[in-house]
Amino acid sequence: MNKEKIKKTLQVIGSFCLSFFIFYWVYKDQDPTVIQQELSKGNILWILFSILLGAASHFVRALRWKQLIEPLGKTPKTSSSYIAVMIGYFANYLIPRAGEMARCGVLKKTDGLSFAELLGTVIAERFFDLIVLLLFVGAAVLSQLDLFSQIFATSTFVGNGLIQIICNPVLWTAIVIIGVTLYIFRKKILESSLCKKVANLIKDIINGVKTFFKVKNKPLFIFYTLIIWIFYFNMTFLCFNAFDFTKDLSMSVGLSTFAIGSMGIVAPVQGGIGAWHFLTSECLKFYGVEEGQALSFAFVVHLAQTLMILSIGFVCFITFSFIKKEKK
């Protein structure tokens, strides 16, 4: 147990250090007064509007999650779902990618649902989110096809990197050794208690994933999904109107900035800190925005959404604590 705690603690510290390093590396040459000046010139109303959209998108996510949970035989309260979702986002700022586990744990406590089945619904939810994100990336590429063609034509880094990985003999040797070992000890592995527990867990997760096919109102589910991602997109794009140096940028630039910045949220750092700033600012620089201004934009927009998540998430965490006490 102590080893497990030490391992988790080291993971948290490591991810914090990584996010701090990326953030420091991105902003180490940035003058803080430039950010202050740009913020003072900006229209704060657009930033506040993006915060409201962020809060609304999370509420819609809670409604959509309820639809996936209903086929499991129990319908949680909307308030419970929203509390779980916001605590999940709050947890992501402590441990990267822990939010999915956290919100399942919260709803298990409040509504007595199976953790593994809830996790299956979250996996199903993320699958649809991935599809929509890829659609946004595709739209960004198609809207500026000539531009992206030039980027890939002049950059051989990605292609060379993939070739080196695929042709690496060490990688293939390791795959063969692992495959042969698993085949030789397959009976013992399948009969072990750990393997049986994993099999039961996978079974529950699959049951959760299957809930989409049992959703009563599939058009409403798809509508919720589109609304969530339209809100996500406008959380970044509408902030273009807040600053003089971005207000004239087109929606296609907004698509590119949103799609590339979203990759930073997936990075194994708390809330995309550092990674989102780097990718978003680099994208804006590519479209002619000065470095200081691009970094200022990334800092302000991410800070606004972070404060929203931390404040609402903290309130939801306190509310959840009271709910647990009442149930006891």
Side-chain angles (χ1 to χ4, degrees):
M1 191 66 181
N2 290 332
K3 289 182 178 180
E4 189 66 26
K5 286 183 178 179
I6 293 171
K7 182 180 177 181
K8 289 181 179 179
T9 302
L10 290 175
Q11 287 176 343
V12 173
I13 294 173
S15 59
F16 264 119
C17 291
L18 179 60
S19 61
F20 175 79
F21 171 77
I22 297 173
F23 187 83
Y24 170 77
W25 177 68
V26 172
Y27 284 92
K28 62 184 175 64
D29 298 323
Q30 175 71 0
D31 187 354
T33 57
V34 174
I35 296 177
Q36 294 176 0
Q37 290 172 1
E38 296 298 344
L39 182 60
S40 63
K41 295 176 187 176
N43 189 337
I44 196 67
L45 290 177
W46 287 106
I47 304 296
L48 293 175
F49 191 29
S50 74
I51 291 174
L52 291 175
L53 281 180
S57 71
H58 303 323
F59 180 75
V60 177
R61 179 175 289 279
L63 293 175
R64 188 185 67 168
W65 193 28
K66 270 187 65 179
Q67 281 193 286
L68 285 172
I69 295 171
E70 285 173 356
L72 297 177
K74 192 170 183 179
T75 304
K77 295 179 180 178
T78 301
S79 57
S80 298
S81 299
Y82 186 68
I83 287 170
V85 167
M86 293 311 301
I87 289 177
Y89 281 112
F90 185 82
N92 280 335
Y93 280 86
L94 300 176
I95 305 174
R97 313 269 43 97
E100 286 76 6
M101 308 289 284
R103 64 164 155 152
C104 293
V106 169
L107 212 54
K108 178 186 176 183
K109 293 284 186 182
T110 57
D111 291 75
L113 289 163
S114 164
F115 179 88
E117 288 183 329
L118 285 172
L119 185 59
T121 63
V122 172
I123 292 172
E125 188 185 47
R126 291 305 185 193
F127 174 74
F128 285 96
D129 287 335
L130 177 61
I131 292 174
V132 179
L133 176 58
L134 292 175
L135 289 175
F136 269 99
V137 173
V141 173
L142 290 174
S143 64
Q144 302 168 86
L145 193 57
D146 294 339
L147 190 62
F148 278 92
S149 297
Q150 291 177 4
I151 295 172
F152 286 110
T154 56
S155 176
T156 57
F157 175 76
V158 176
N160 290 338
L162 287 173
I163 291 170
Q164 288 178 3
I165 292 172
I166 293 171
C167 298
N168 192 330
V170 176
L171 174 64
W172 287 105
T173 303
I175 291 173
V176 170
I177 292 172
I178 292 170
V180 170
T181 304
L182 291 175
Y183 180 78
I184 293 172
F185 296 101
R186 64 188 184 282
K187 289 185 178 180
K188 289 185 178 180
I189 293 172
L190 292 173
E191 292 173 357
S192 66
S193 59
L194 177 61
C195 186
K196 290 177 181 178
K197 288 180 180 179
V198 172
N200 290 330
L201 177 63
I202 291 172
K203 183 180 177 182
D204 287 338
I205 290 174
I206 291 172
N207 288 335
V209 172
K210 287 180 178 177
T211 55
F212 170 73
F213 300 100
K214 300 176 183 178
V215 169
K216 294 179 180 178
N217 194 339
K218 290 183 177 64
L220 182 61
F221 180 88
I222 295 171
F223 174 74
Y224 282 155
T225 302
L226 293 175
I227 288 296
I228 289 168
W229 282 90
I230 289 171
F231 282 1
Y232 280 179
F233 166 67
N234 281 289
M235 281 159 55
T236 299
F237 181 61
L238 289 180
C239 289
F240 280 8
N241 297 304
F243 304 97
D244 290 335
F245 53 83
T246 52
K247 66 181 182 180
D248 294 326
L249 295 176
S250 65
M251 182 175 285
S252 58
V253 176
L255 277 172
S256 299
T257 305
F258 169 71
I260 292 172
S262 296
M263 304 302 174
I265 299 297
V266 181
V269 292
Q270 283 80 355
I273 296 174
W276 190 88
H277 297 80
F278 171 73
L279 292 173
T280 299
S281 60
E282 286 297 310
C283 186
L284 289 174
K285 283 163 58 179
F286 186 79
Y287 290 105
V289 179
E290 293 181 8
E291 182 177 12
Q293 294 173 333
L295 290 171
S296 299
F297 177 88
F299 179 83
V300 171
V301 173
H302 190 275
L303 178 63
Q305 295 300 325
T306 297
L307 292 176
M308 180 272 292
I309 289 173
L310 293 181
S311 57
I312 298 178
F314 180 75
V315 172
C316 288
F317 182 78
I318 298 299
T319 305
F320 171 63
S321 300
F322 281 114
I323 292 172
K324 281 202 304 182
K325 286 182 180 179
E326 287 179 1
K327 284 188 174 293
K328 285 183 181 179

